[in-house]
């Protein structure tokens, strides 16, 4: 179910969606599980795309059961968790820019700042779609950590609008 204050208030449409993703994790059968971490409300979990080169071009797709109108999205663009004394935020790549590809055949590119706080982005115009794809376009590269991984991680990603 979605959360909404009234008919004109935006709802968290992500809770309606079936999530799928591209990444090397697909071969391991973990993509759906990993992608679902984007909508669990917990920034200490994440989707990590798992491909070399920071996963440029890798994506998560949100497929809705019927048409929805998307007006905004909220994102935590990195893995906001500390583990064994090192900070996953700085040891993984964080999304700098992304392309939203819509089921109506259009797309738009957006950028985010390198901050752990959730960021809300209002679309240039509402989009009525049956699916939307979030594609990694640019990253803030890993800075430190035992692996200095080339994984790019996203802690939370929610699409807002109306059913």
């Amino acid at each position: 179910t979605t959360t909404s204050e009234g008919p004109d208030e935006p709802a968290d449409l992500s809770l309606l969606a079936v999530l799928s993703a591209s990444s090397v994790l697909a071969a391991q059968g973990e993509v759906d599980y990993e992608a679902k971490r984007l909508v669990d409300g917990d920034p200490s979990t994440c989707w990590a795309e798992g491909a070399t080169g920071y996963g440029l071009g890798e994506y998560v797709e949100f497929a809705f059961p019927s048409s929805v109108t998307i007006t905004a999205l909220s994102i935590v663009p990195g893995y906001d968790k500390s583990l064994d004394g090192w900070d996953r935020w700085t040891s993984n790549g964080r999304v700098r820019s992304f392309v939203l590809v819509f089921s109506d055949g259009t797309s738009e590119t957006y950028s985010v700042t390198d901050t752990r706080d959730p960021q809300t982005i209002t679309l240039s115009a509402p989009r009525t779609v049956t699916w939307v794809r979030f594609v990694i376009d640019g990253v803030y590269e890993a800075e430190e950590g035992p692996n200095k991984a080339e994984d790019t991680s996203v802690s939370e990603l929610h699409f807002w609008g109306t059913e």
Side-chain angles (χ1 to χ4, degrees):
T1 58
T2 58
T3 56
S4 179
E5 297 299 316
D8 296 328
E9 294 293 320
D12 186 350
L13 301 173
S14 303
L15 303 176
L16 301 172
V18 173
L19 277 64
S20 60
S22 70
S23 80
V24 296
L25 296 174
Q28 301 170 17
E30 296 181 18
V31 167
D32 291 340
Y33 171 70
E34 291 266 338
K36 287 177 184 174
R37 293 176 176 182
L38 289 171
V39 297
D40 65 2
D42 181 359
S44 72
T45 63
C46 73
W47 170 68
E49 49 66 39
T52 58
Y54 291 105
L56 298 178
E58 300 293 330
Y59 66 84
V60 176
E61 186 171 289
F62 290 70
F64 303 100
S66 59
S67 291
V68 296
T69 301
I70 297 172
T71 57
L73 66 96
S74 58
I75 182 173
V76 178
Y79 190 6
D80 196 9
K81 181 176 183 171
S82 293
L83 183 66
D84 297 330
W86 52 284
D87 186 353
R88 284 285 182 96
W89 186 269
T90 57
S91 67
N92 285 29
R94 286 111 31 223
V95 172
R96 177 194 314 250
S97 61
F98 57 90
V99 177
L100 295 181
V101 179
F102 302 99
S103 62
D104 65 6
T106 62
S107 63
E108 289 193 2
T109 302
Y110 295 91
S111 297
V112 291
T113 58
D114 194 17
T115 177
R116 299 171 193 251
D117 296 322
Q119 299 174 54
T120 299
I121 296 171
T122 302
L123 301 186
S124 63
R127 303 292 180 120
T128 300
V129 298
T130 55
W131 57 264
V132 61
R133 186 176 284 181
F134 171 92
V135 184
I136 299 172
D137 185 58
V139 300
Y140 297 100
E141 293 184 4
E143 300 160 22
E144 60 187 6
N147 299 328
K148 197 172 177 184
E150 284 194 358
D151 286 347
T152 295
S153 303
V154 180
S155 289
E156 290 292 309
L157 180 61
H158 295 262
F159 288 94
W160 297 87
T162 56
E163 293 180 59

